[in-house]
Amino acid sequence: MSAPEIKKSILDHLTYSIGRPPSLASKQDYYKALALTVRDRLQQHWVETVQAYLEQDLKVACYLSAEFLMGPHLGNNLLNLGIENEVRQAVKEMGCELDELLAEEEEPGLGNGGLGRLAACYMDSLATLERLALGYGIRYEFGIFDQEIRDGWQCEITDKWLRSGNPWEIAKPEITYYVNFGGHTEYYRDEAGAERIRWVPDRAVKGMAYDTPIQGYRVNTCNTLRLWSAEACESFDFQAFNTGDYYGAVDDKVISETITKVLYPNDEPEIGKRLRLLQQYFFVSCSLQDMLRLLDAQGQPTQRFPEKFAVQLNDTHPSIGVAELMRLLVDERRLSWEDAWDITVLTFGYTNHTLLPEALETWPLPLFRELLPRHLEIIYEINARFLASVRETHHQDDEHVKRLSLIDENGEKRIRMAHLACVGSHAINGVAALHSELLKRSVLKDFYELWPERFNNKTNGVTPRRFMALANPKLSELITRTIGDGWITHTEELRMLEPFSEDAAFRKEWRLVKQSNKQQLADYILKQTGIELDPSWMFDVQVKRIHEYKRQHLNILHVITLYNRLKRDPKLAIAPRAFIFGGKAAPGYFIAKRIIKLINAVGEVVNNDPDVNKKLRVAFVPNFNVQNGQLIYPAADLSEQISMAGKEASGTGNMKFTLNGALTIGTLDGANVEIRDEVGEENFFLFGLTTEETLRLQQQGYRPYAYVEGNSELAEAIRLIASGHFSHGDTEVFRPLVDNLCQSDPFLVFADYADYIACQDKVAGVWKDPENWTRMSILNTARAGKFSSDRAIREYCDEIWDVRPVPIMIKDKT
Ligand code: 73E
């Protein structure tokens, strides 16, 4: 597509799609016209991809996820299509700057954090690797809230991402399915006289598909992200309307549409809310019905379902799919239980993302029965057969059988969704090597002993297109100039950079790129917060959801420690550092919200104290999201990955930082372990207890206060927080935090404090030698190729899904 063609298309869209003369068009109008121009181009690829699917007997990867944190589409699509330069020129000729138009896009924040972003990276890699794929999820009307910081506190603002429309999606009113809820089940005799069960629901909603094209990088494959939106079956209940109950008539519509209204803003802990179960069942049912329709459209028998679709469960959120597929096959398609079960197990794979016990989904039985009575029966039947086989073939005792059961009978009965997912899947994986090992030893131990062959590891990855090529154009240009551009799709080629770490001229260029990225971030932070940062300082960054296990408070204790050292001796020579934080707290997570307040409170004192602010600054970037993440990762010198060992399943931010040349300070947790293995222990700052050591310490009886008594710097830091020093004399505001740490400290902040501080002192020492730091930075990028989502997706396709590449030909390129 040439610049003049692009220009013509934009003008056409302004006139015919938007209905504005160019002279009156706003930036938003131009953005939309450009987005529609790009979308037209994607549609050609899309149609050919669908055509290939219809013509050939192909298998499709279906990624079921309650979250897809896509981030802005425009820049990514321009990159993947390879038309950025032409577009830049075209819009310039129309008096616009491309960067201004890019800034017009509202980010679709349909996810909380790593889990949702992983789904988005996997969609990018699937298309780039030319694998047919459908992403299935929920079209939330309101995504993750926007975070504002007022007086140091987080405020949540509704995310109205659809307010100006969404040019990337295409509504498909012809692709709708009914989803039932409630009611009861009953026996009946079918035509052949056989006794069967049917579900008599008392409510139904309609799910409508909204499709977004997912373009691969420089290939013709363009896959589909299909998100379901709930609608009332009929807009009005005319019966009620006629009897004068106007509001009653609208009520059903309101209730139905509520299902896809809002994303639950919780990362990790489960909330057990009724609407959440409705959301899960709603999108899973629509998706499975859609697959069955596609199968029928191809004239394929139901038995071939697992040959045509590999369905991956992104955590337990879609795991009701196991029962729903059984219902569709047994009740609606009249397959035998045994045949249906074989299909189900061959179809599903289950990815576990967390070991935190409080995050494992279980549903109270009464709630489940009320909403999904037929599914409850199906789960009972699955459970009865499963436990019988366990008793028979494995001679397990009652205790063991109880532990494996899909129903937790301790106290209020609950359905264990992870157990349903395990029983109903032929493959079960964790998201980093350590995590997959711990799964086998802890939460899924009994299942591992039963079916060791089902268990495997798929270390997470991130897309190098968005998180390097797009986010860090300067570094990408330098790398491409040095080793060619093959690394963008074959990140193992980054290894070719290794020898250049010894080249002083290359190191200088590397530093200049980092410097310029830091300047850009400093400009952004100044604009957002009024805090001035010097790009010659070390940028020490921790951005991720705020959670106690991630230990942002350990980081802030280091800041306070440096503050105290400088207050004691203002002349102390310390390497100047900017501490940059970002991340959202779940609105109901009391301690996490106080951690945000503490970061801002410490920042206020530090940044305004002339004794220290020439060497220390603290900034909290409000509203951390994909968009500003793209500014943050490339600007980091030091990446903070300091979770308590055994708690972070993988982490993916750690990978984004490493690929962009940040050095990591981290524990042996999640994918940190593998990052360290890859980059070399000499290029990684390791500290802290190992998983085994944390377990031992907690078994022995952990006494956090003993660490305060044994460490004067820690004692001083804690005393200062408690004294109100950072809170204008208010001794109450941080009391819950301090008490929690001193009395229980569930994530061993105090136990790791001394080693963390010692390690940070080592970091400061290395920073003093910029040539060496740069050498290490280059080696981090050069050796991070493993953490591409392309590698991860290849493993899923080859080892779990059996989905092969299918090159798409563009037949009529006009
Ligand atoms: O370690 C991360 C992991 O990198 C993990 O905490 C996160 O998933 C990432 C991708 O694998 C995660 N999110 C959730 N569970 N694990 C979660 C749970 C409930 C709701 C929303 C997200």
Side-chain angles (χ1 to χ4, degrees):
M1 223 182 178
S2 66
E5 286 170 323
I6 293 166
K7 202 165 143 185
K8 176 168 186 315
S9 173
I10 294 175
L11 287 172
D12 282 350
H13 275 298
L14 274 179
T15 307
Y16 303 117
S17 309
I18 296 165
R20 272 284 146 77
S23 57
L24 291 182
S26 64
K27 288 254 146 56
Q28 176 67 208
D29 294 330
Y30 271 102
Y31 155 71
K32 266 194 212 140
L34 171 56
L36 291 172
T37 297
V38 173
R39 198 186 74 181
D40 288 344
R41 184 65 188 278
L42 301 180
Q43 303 247 107
Q44 300 170 359
H45 294 186
W46 207 6
V47 167
E48 297 294 344
T49 305
V50 172
Q51 196 66 27
Y53 167 75
L54 292 175
E55 284 168 4
Q56 304 170 45
D57 191 18
L58 302 169
K59 189 168 180 183
V60 187
C62 298
Y63 202 79
L64 260 59
S65 179
E67 304 189 5
F68 284 92
L69 222 187
M70 301 303 289
H73 291 291
L74 178 56
N76 199 244
N77 283 327
L78 295 181
L79 170 74
N80 285 10
L81 288 169
I83 57 171
E84 189 193 316
N85 291 338
E86 291 78 358
V87 166
R88 198 173 284 282
Q89 192 193 327
V91 298
K92 199 165 201 116
E93 287 170 18
M94 304 169 84
C96 296
E97 282 301 322
L98 177 58
D99 295 334
E100 284 175 1
L101 299 189
L102 287 165
E104 284 293 310
E105 182 169 356
E106 284 255 13
E107 146 164 3
L110 308 186
N112 274 288
L115 174 138
R117 183 54 234 176
L118 185 76
C121 284
Y122 283 178
M123 290 307 292
D124 181 80
S125 285
L126 280 160
T128 299
L129 295 174
E130 302 179 292
R131 318 285 165 132
L132 291 188
L134 275 160
Y136 280 114
I138 301 174
R139 182 179 179 271
Y140 300 105
E141 190 178 335
F142 305 119
I144 187 68
F145 63 85
D146 287 324
Q147 178 194 56
E148 281 184 14
I149 302 296
R150 294 191 196 141
D151 186 30
W153 294 97
Q154 164 176 298
C155 295
E156 299 94 17
I157 316 289
T158 309
D159 162 56
K160 301 202 176 114
W161 71 290
L162 289 167
R163 85 189 113 194
S164 317
N166 171 12
W168 300 104
E169 69 184 7
I170 299 180
K172 299 272 169 82
E174 73 283 9
I175 305 181
T176 59
Y177 300 98
Y178 289 96
V179 178
N180 297 322
F181 298 104
H184 62 276
T185 63
E186 62 189 24
Y187 286 100
Y188 74 103
R189 288 206 179 272
D190 66 15
E191 313 76 57
E195 192 170 69
R196 309 192 69 91
I197 297 174
R198 76 177 148 220
W199 178 16
V200 186
D202 60 10
R203 267 163 301 153
V205 293
K206 208 163 78 178
M208 180 166 129
Y210 284 78
D211 286 356
T212 302
I214 306 293
Q215 171 67 46
Y217 177 79
R218 312 283 158 101
V219 292
N220 293 324
T221 301
C222 186
N223 284 324
T224 301
L225 174 63
R226 179 161 287 172
L227 302 180
W228 303 103
S229 178
E231 301 187 356
C233 290
E234 304 297 335
S235 280
F236 284 101
D237 174 351
F238 280 99
Q239 190 61 39
F241 193 58
N242 288 334
T243 56
D245 185 10
Y246 178 81
Y247 290 102
V250 184
D251 207 35
D252 185 47
K253 179 172 155 66
V254 173
I255 291 167
S256 306
E257 290 174 358
T258 302
I259 293 181
T260 52
K261 268 270 171 253
V262 60
L263 167 76
Y264 276 96
N266 290 23
D267 194 72
E268 298 283 355
E270 68 106 6
I271 13 94
K273 289 278 184 337
R274 172 194 175 86
L275 182 61
R276 170 94 170 158
L277 180 57
L278 285 176
Q279 288 184 339
Q280 295 181 349
Y281 177 59
F282 165 77
F283 97 87
V284 168
S285 178
C286 287
S287 308
L288 289 169
Q289 291 187 60
D290 196 43
M291 289 171 220
L292 284 165
R293 181 194 57 100
L294 288 167
L295 193 72
D296 294 343
Q298 285 198 294
Q300 297 288 343
T302 309
Q303 279 71 14
R304 290 203 69 210
F305 194 87
E307 293 165 57
K308 303 295 290 178
F309 301 101
V311 182
Q312 194 67 23
L313 303 171
N314 198 24
D315 214 285
T316 53
H317 317 149
S319 60
I320 184 63
V322 171
E324 173 67 355
L325 184 57
M326 285 301 287
R327 188 191 66 82
L328 290 166
L329 296 177
V330 174
D331 290 4
E332 302 210 342
R333 300 218 163 194
R334 310 253 176 117
L335 265 61
S336 73
W337 182 277
E338 291 74 16
D339 288 350
W341 187 246
D342 288 345
I343 290 174
T344 299
V345 176
L346 283 171
T347 298
F348 287 109
Y350 161 50
T351 305
N352 172 289
H353 294 264
T354 183
L355 297 158
L356 297 188
E358 67 270 26
L360 293 176
E361 275 191 313
T362 60
W363 292 106
L365 212 120
L367 171 68
F368 206 94
R369 180 186 291 117
E370 182 212 321
L371 293 176
L372 302 170
R374 179 61 185 136
H375 296 79
L376 182 62
E377 288 175 355
I378 290 172
I379 288 171
Y380 274 144
E381 180 70 23
I382 295 172
N383 200 34
R385 290 172 183 247
F386 165 55
L387 295 182
S389 87
V390 168
R391 280 203 189 87
E392 217 172 277
T393 53
H394 299 268
H395 312 288
Q396 302 289 13
D397 55 54
D398 279 356
E399 260 320 296
H400 207 117
V401 168
K402 255 193 196 162
R403 287 207 305 271
L404 283 165
S405 174
L406 305 193
I407 318 284
D408 179 357
E409 314 242 2
N410 305 314
E412 179 201 39
K413 285 192 187 173
R414 301 178 76 94
I415 322 265
R416 296 165 163 158
M417 300 310 276
H419 292 208
L420 178 62
C422 284
V423 175
S425 303
H426 65 283
I428 302 165
N429 73 282
V431 289
L434 172 69
H435 169 63
S436 295
E437 280 312 305
L438 293 175
L439 269 183
K440 296 193 272 188
R441 265 186 266 154
S442 62
V443 285
L444 300 181
K445 178 168 185 282
D446 295 316
F447 287 96
Y448 174 63
E449 284 167 2
L450 217 51
W451 301 309
E453 69 287 355
R454 289 193 190 186
F455 282 74
N456 68 99
N457 172 245
K458 295 286 166 281
T459 298
N460 284 168
V462 302
T463 171
R465 269 74 63 186
R466 183 179 290 273
F467 289 106
M468 292 183 78
L470 187 62
N472 201 341
K474 294 198 180 82
L475 193 71
S476 301
E477 190 276 327
L478 172 59
I479 296 173
T480 296
R481 181 152 42 83
T482 310
I483 62 168
D485 66 0
W487 63 273
I488 299 175
T489 45
H490 297 88
T491 44
E492 63 280 3
E493 290 184 14
L494 289 168
R495 289 258 174 199
M496 291 195 280
L497 288 172
E498 275 192 34
F500 291 91
S501 66
E502 295 304 327
D503 176 338
F506 184 82
R507 285 202 300 270
K508 186 163 177 211
E509 287 200 82
W510 191 268
R511 261 196 309 279
L512 285 174
V513 167
K514 184 63 84 180
Q515 198 68 13
S516 150
N517 292 340
K518 288 163 75 175
Q519 183 64 60
Q520 250 188 313
L521 178 60
D523 294 344
Y524 176 79
I525 290 178
L526 179 62
K527 207 161 134 225
Q528 297 297 315
T529 67
I531 298 165
E532 225 172 307
L533 302 180
D534 181 338
S536 71
W537 292 20
M538 184 201 302
F539 277 18
D540 176 334
V541 188
Q542 187 172 20
V543 286
K544 50 181 76 239
R545 286 297 288 246
I546 312 293
H547 203 298
E548 288 164 277
Y549 84 77
K550 295 177 190 279
R551 302 198 296 191
Q552 281 91 356
H553 40 353
L554 178 57
N555 188 343
I556 207 74
L557 282 174
H558 174 229
V559 178
I560 298 172
T561 303
L562 293 180
Y563 169 81
N564 285 335
R565 287 180 189 173
L566 277 172
K567 288 303 276 186
R568 241 178 284 132
D569 175 9
K571 294 204 186 60
L572 189 73
I574 72 160
R577 272 203 218 203
F579 291 87
I580 298 166
F581 292 85
K584 296 174 186 179
Y589 191 170
F590 179 84
I591 295 270
K593 290 180 114 173
R594 257 158 231 254
I595 292 175
I596 293 179
K597 174 69 179 170
L598 177 63
I599 294 167
N600 284 304
V602 171
E604 196 190 322
V605 169
V606 166
N607 298 341
N608 293 305
D609 185 337
D611 285 348
V612 302
N613 70 9
K614 288 171 197 73
K615 290 172 190 146
L616 284 187
R617 297 269 168 112
V618 180
F620 188 95
V621 183
N623 202 38
F624 175 57
N625 59 13
V626 177
Q627 195 154 24
N628 57 39
Q630 289 176 203
L631 220 56
I632 295 170
Y633 298 116
D637 295 305
L638 187 67
S639 155
E640 299 269 351
Q641 306 301 334
I642 59 177
S643 52
M644 170 181 160
K647 295 292 175 189
E648 188 70 271
S650 165
T652 43
N654 47 5
M655 302 169 183
K656 295 165 197 168
F657 281 112
T658 306
L659 281 163
N660 284 286
L663 308 191
T664 302
I665 180 164
T667 49
L668 282 180
D669 200 13
N672 295 353
V673 178
E674 290 155 83
I675 291 176
R676 179 165 169 269
D677 283 348
E678 291 292 306
V679 305
E681 59 176 24
E682 67 286 6
N683 298 306
F684 186 104
F685 298 102
L686 178 71
F687 78 97
L689 300 171
T690 62
T691 307
E692 284 70 29
E693 287 164 343
T694 64
L695 294 172
R696 217 175 305 133
L697 180 58
Q698 288 179 321
Q699 268 160 19
Q700 284 164 2
Y702 173 54
R703 289 201 314 113
Y705 205 73
Y707 291 84
V708 178
E709 288 165 341
N711 188 309
S712 60
E713 287 203 301
L714 176 57
E716 195 183 0
I718 291 295
R719 211 179 317 118
L720 212 55
I721 299 172
S723 73
H725 184 79
F726 300 111
S727 40
H728 306 278
D730 182 344
T731 53
E732 290 309 308
V733 56
F734 299 125
R735 189 189 295 277
L737 246 176
V738 170
D739 284 354
N740 180 272
L741 285 174
C742 293
Q743 287 158 22
S744 63
D745 189 13
F747 300 102
L748 308 185
V749 172
F750 287 178
D752 271 344
Y753 170 85
D755 199 25
Y756 179 57
I757 299 296
C759 190
Q760 284 286 17
D761 291 342
K762 221 168 77 193
V763 170
V766 176
W767 177 254
K768 282 197 193 130
D769 177 358
E771 293 298 342
N772 192 33
W773 186 280
T774 311
R775 201 174 284 124
M776 291 165 74
S777 164
I778 296 167
L779 290 177
N780 264 261
T781 301
R783 297 172 178 175
K786 172 176 171 186
F787 304 103
S788 164
S789 45
D790 297 345
R791 187 267 315 145
I793 279 300
R794 263 198 205 94
E795 291 177 4
Y796 276 101
C797 284
D798 294 348
E799 296 162 25
I800 302 183
W801 302 336
D802 193 27
V803 168
R804 313 266 134 231
V806 182
I808 303 295
M809 305 300 162
I810 298 293
K811 285 173 201 137
D812 178 25
K813 222 173 177 183
T814 44

